[in-house]
Amino acid sequence: MSEAEKWLLQIRRLDVMIDAKLAEKKRLREMAADVGGKPYDGMPFTNTGQVSDRVSDAVIKIISCEEEIDRLIEMYQKQKEEILLMMDILPEREYQIMHLYYIMGETWESVAEMVGRSEVQVWRLKKSALRRLDAAIGAKKEDGSGMEKTVDFT
């Protein structure tokens, strides 16, 4: 897998991770509301003896989850901006297919339909775009202004 494709696929993984954290946050808020009898409004609870340990635990998890979501979103935005800047070197058609697939999350089949090309043609454009992006990434590494390290998702 090329360096450019690793970067592009990373955006999709970050999207999935952020969606999972948002779903977890929603589940925890619902649990806190079920146990505490009112929706959590983002303000810390004061333990007056009336709030159960389960609600307190849920609130702590919600706050931790929100911090993780903020961290992921910040990372995602920074890398997405960097990738989009790098993609500016691509001809319009290549940019369009790469953006639709890697940034917008479309399938290759729908990308082909959207741009009015066959899937084979879209794959050829993808390969051409990846070669251009890999060359640009290589040039950035040589001049010392390379892109930041990709995130390790293991």
Side-chain angles (χ1 to χ4, degrees):
M1 180 179 303
S2 75
E3 189 72 19
E5 192 162 22
K6 287 178 190 174
W7 271 91
L8 292 165
L9 288 171
Q10 188 166 264
I11 284 178
R12 295 185 102 179
R13 287 191 294 266
L14 285 166
D15 269 340
V16 168
M17 290 171 65
I18 289 167
D19 288 346
K21 288 293 182 185
L22 288 171
E24 181 181 355
K25 181 175 151 180
K26 180 181 177 186
R27 183 185 58 77
L28 290 169
R29 283 179 181 255
E30 289 169 356
M31 184 178 83
D34 287 346
V35 174
K38 64 178 185 171
Y40 170 64
D41 62 5
M43 296 301 295
F45 280 105
T46 57
N47 194 348
T48 61
Q50 299 170 344
V51 179
S52 73
D53 287 341
R54 283 183 60 197
V55 173
S56 296
D57 289 346
V59 170
I60 291 167
K61 287 180 182 179
I62 290 168
I63 292 168
S64 174
C65 187
E66 288 173 340
E67 289 169 355
E68 177 71 5
I69 289 167
D70 291 343
R71 187 188 66 78
L72 289 171
I73 289 171
E74 183 179 322
M75 180 189 339
Y76 169 75
Q77 289 173 330
K78 184 177 179 182
Q79 289 180 352
K80 187 173 181 178
E81 288 169 8
E82 203 168 339
I83 290 166
L84 289 172
L85 282 173
M86 184 68 72
M87 285 175 55
D88 280 343
I89 67 165
L90 298 175
E92 186 177 339
R93 183 66 61 167
E94 289 178 10
Y95 180 94
Q96 184 181 20
I97 66 159
M98 301 301 274
H99 189 271
L100 286 169
Y101 181 76
Y102 290 104
I103 308 300
M104 301 304 296
E106 299 290 339
T107 65
W108 286 116
E109 183 180 334
S110 65
V111 170
E113 189 177 306
M114 291 172 158
V115 298
R117 303 279 177 115
S118 72
E119 283 187 64
V120 171
Q121 290 172 317
V122 167
W123 273 88
R124 286 184 188 138
L125 288 167
K126 171 198 166 198
K127 286 183 180 185
S128 174
L130 288 174
R131 280 193 297 273
R132 289 178 204 271
L133 291 171
D134 280 333
I137 290 170
K140 279 186 154 282
K141 284 181 179 177
E142 286 177 15
D143 74 8
S145 65
M147 298 173 80
E148 288 186 26
K149 184 181 185 310
T150 56
V151 175
D152 182 15
F153 290 98
T154 55

